Amino acid sequence: MNSTPLARFERVTRRFGDLVAVDDVTLDIEPGAILGLLGPNGAGKTTLLSLLQGLRRPTSGTVTLFGADPRDARTRRLLGSTPQETALPETLRVGEVIDYVGGHFADRVETDALAEEFGLSDLLRRQSGSLSGGQKRRLAVALAFVGRPRLVLLDEPTTGLDVDARRVLWDAIRHQHELGATVVVTSHYLEEIEALAQRVIVLGEGRVLADDSVARIVAEVGVSQVRLEVEEPDALDALDGVVRRDTADGVQVLTVSDSDAFVRALVGSGIRFRNLGVRGATLEEAFLALTARRPADELVTSHGKELR
Ligand SMILES: Nc1ncnc2c1ncn2[C@@H]1O[C@H](COP(=O)(O)OP(=O)(O)OP(=O)(O)O)[C@@H](O)[C@H]1O
């Protein structure tokens, strides 16, 4: 498929003094997907988004938004975003805030429709300063969509929300996506990315560690989860292919790189075990396996292509 990308990073590096926050990143954001941006704290996710918003300049390389420079305000008219920390005018009512922000756009979503979609209808007459933290989040995310943007950047949109509020937002984000918005979402909730994203980019120390569908990232990383009970759990750490070990209610939960080889090594070791269970990995396990790797061992794929 040969669509023009909405945004493009070409060999982009961003330093803060000696610290390399974004390290030689090349990627395209094509229209159509919900793209999940994952990475541990400090991986460079917010910096990447701030480059797209024109809030920061790359130290080297080029960032293009809608084919132009994101630092030009005209370029950003069709970009929607929600900052991590939101500062809403405290004394304006929710409806007034939506009207105020919407007033900046020629083509905008009507206030009632937007409120309905984001579960804010009952709050339209409340002063925004009186909203709970979760309600403020919902309003901030709703505002990102008011101008019918082509590309929307959501930095940890559901942090601090309860499960129900999170699902309301997921449905609203999915609906906006169906209406034509391309969405980039960062999250520390792996299940959020699994639920929303068709494409996932995993960042580690400013570099792209993986760029693919959730299913392919999990498959490519090739880790499995093994659960078992043993008398001496520490002995398991010496076995081949153990990427990580956790304990849950007395059960050892291992992430292993090759479950067949692990089970052979387990049996060969003579460690006495019970209730052995093996299953494929979740995105969370794949993520942990990827970000635990050293850069030289990285498997980097972009829609199936090796980038190394
Ligand atoms: N203005 C700044 N000055 C100095 N260092 C910065 C600045 N902004 C970010 N950094 C550093 O750049 C690195 C990447 O930060 P960034 O906020 O992009 O990470 P992140 O992936 O969004 O992290 P988190 O998940 O914690 O939000 C971190 O080491 C951070 O401390």
Side-chain angles (χ1 to χ4, degrees):
M1 215 169 49
N2 221 349
S3 51
T4 311
L6 297 180
R8 169 164 278 179
F9 289 80
E10 290 171 276
R11 306 218 55 183
V12 172
T13 293
R14 168 69 206 208
R15 294 173 188 277
F16 295 105
D18 289 342
L19 190 136
V20 186
V22 171
D23 188 3
D24 198 16
V25 165
T26 294
L27 60 90
D28 282 352
I29 300 174
E30 288 99 2
I34 299 182
L35 191 164
L37 197 55
L38 281 178
N41 288 133
K45 305 179 294 294
T46 302
T47 306
L48 211 59
L49 297 190
S50 68
L51 290 163
L52 263 188
Q53 289 168 280
L55 299 173
R56 298 196 184 286
R57 240 185 253 277
T59 309
S60 61
T62 313
V63 181
T64 321
L65 177 68
F66 308 131
D69 182 352
R71 292 182 66 82
D72 181 342
R74 284 167 304 181
T75 310
R76 298 195 302 268
R77 268 196 306 234
L78 292 174
L79 181 72
S81 61
T82 298
Q84 241 170 329
E85 296 299 325
T86 53
L88 302 167
E90 301 250 310
T91 53
L92 286 191
R93 295 177 198 279
V94 168
E96 291 168 339
V97 174
I98 298 175
D99 285 341
Y100 173 74
V101 177
H104 291 78
F105 299 95
D107 180 20
R108 56 158 297 192
V109 183
E110 286 307 314
T111 299
D112 287 344
L114 194 73
E116 165 92 37
E117 179 134 32
F118 285 86
L120 297 166
S121 298
D122 295 342
L123 301 173
L124 280 173
R125 298 191 53 74
R126 285 268 297 277
Q127 286 192 327
S128 68
S130 75
L131 299 179
S132 73
Q135 290 166 337
K136 280 183 184 157
R137 267 330 283 147
R138 260 144 66 191
L139 174 56
V141 175
L143 290 173
F145 288 95
V146 70
R148 301 191 199 280
R150 289 182 69 202
L151 178 63
V152 182
L153 311 178
L154 302 176
D155 200 355
E156 301 184 23
T158 66
T159 297
L161 297 191
D162 63 28
V163 175
D164 286 343
R166 195 173 292 160
R167 286 181 193 283
V168 169
L169 263 187
W170 290 359
D171 284 345
I173 292 168
R174 281 198 201 98
H175 185 233
Q176 291 296 324
H177 171 246
E178 282 164 16
L179 293 177
T182 299
V183 180
V184 178
V185 56
T186 77
S187 180
H188 287 283
Y189 301 113
L190 282 279
E191 81 275 16
E192 177 154 299
I193 300 294
E194 231 162 355
L196 288 177
Q198 290 90 43
R199 176 181 170 198
V200 177
I201 291 178
V202 181
L203 281 185
E205 297 178 3
R207 298 182 58 199
V208 176
L209 302 182
D211 177 356
D212 221 320
S213 66
V214 172
R216 287 181 66 119
I217 285 181
V218 172
E220 295 276 358
V221 168
V223 290
S224 305
Q225 192 197 78
V226 178
R227 300 168 76 90
L228 74 172
E229 293 169 47
V230 295
E231 298 295 329
E232 290 175 37
D234 291 350
L236 295 170
D237 296 339
L239 298 181
D240 274 356
V242 177
V243 176
R244 183 187 165 94
R245 177 168 66 84
D246 297 295
T247 306
D249 298 328
V251 177
Q252 300 303 310
V253 183
L254 307 179
T255 304
V256 301
S257 53
D258 178 341
S259 54
D260 296 338
F262 171 80
V263 172
R264 278 196 298 275
L266 175 69
V267 171
S269 71
I271 296 171
R272 291 158 62 90
F273 63 89
R274 331 180 263 290
N275 294 333
L276 177 76
V278 179
R279 65 157 173 74
T282 61
L283 178 61
E284 179 159 4
E285 286 145 6
F287 171 73
L288 290 169
L290 267 170
T291 52
R293 284 181 187 178
R294 295 189 54 76
D297 309 330
E298 283 157 18
L299 171 74
V300 182
T301 60
S302 174
H303 309 297
K305 289 193 302 281
E306 285 253 332
L307 286 182
R308 266 190 287 182

